[in-house]
Amino acid sequence: MTIHQIRIYEIFESNKQFFHDRFRDHAARIMRRHGFDLIGMWEAQTPERTEFVYLLRWPSIAAKETAWSAFMDDEEWAEIKRVTGAAHGRLVGAIEDRILLPTAYSPALLDRTQC
């Protein structure tokens, strides 16, 4: 069964363009190299903070765990984070991570073109 993962990052108005540049130009590319299926990316605003939200699709929990482990151990990604952090400060605050499992009546489960 296909699963989805939603990630929500707190980002900072003072340097959010640097965050977006890093995600667009580096993180997304490296994630794809490790098997990430990026469905979409959004920016959301709450009264308390600005958020970057993205949705991933996985064939299984095991595939997600393997890909995340490889991404977090990726030397290129570690260097990019080090360089951008040194140049622009902390780019991400709080991180929320959720696995989305479809209900038996979910249109996403009933209509495979939505998954």
Side-chain angles (χ1 to χ4, degrees):
M1 170 180 56
T2 298
I3 62 164
H4 291 83
Q5 178 184 20
I6 190 168
R7 295 197 38 106
I8 303 168
Y9 294 176
E10 173 186 21
I11 58 176
F12 310 111
E13 286 296 322
S14 61
N15 62 4
K16 78 176 184 176
Q17 189 55 54
F18 299 116
F19 168 84
H20 284 297
D21 293 346
R22 181 173 80 178
F23 197 94
R24 181 193 64 234
D25 299 339
H26 303 291
R29 172 181 54 80
I30 296 168
M31 287 172 161
R32 286 185 184 101
R33 184 169 71 213
H34 291 294
F36 285 56
D37 184 3
L38 292 152
I39 301 300
M41 299 153 215
W42 302 267
E43 190 173 298
Q45 198 73 41
T46 72
E48 296 80 30
R49 65 188 194 176
T50 301
E51 298 174 333
F52 175 74
V53 180
Y54 64 106
L55 183 65
L56 299 159
R57 177 175 35 214
W58 299 104
S60 67
I61 296 283
K64 176 194 79 71
E65 291 172 357
T66 298
W68 270 107
S69 180
F71 175 70
M72 296 308 286
D73 291 341
D74 189 286
E75 291 180 18
E76 180 185 7
W77 177 235
E79 179 64 9
I80 288 165
K81 283 190 349 183
R82 186 190 68 73
V83 169
T84 56
H88 308 295
R90 194 171 83 149
L91 299 183
V92 176
I95 298 174
E96 297 177 39
D97 183 18
R98 294 182 181 90
I99 298 300
L100 306 174
L101 300 171
T103 61
Y105 54 87
S106 172
L109 185 61
L110 299 173
D111 180 1
R112 293 290 180 192
T113 64
Q114 300 293 315
C115 298

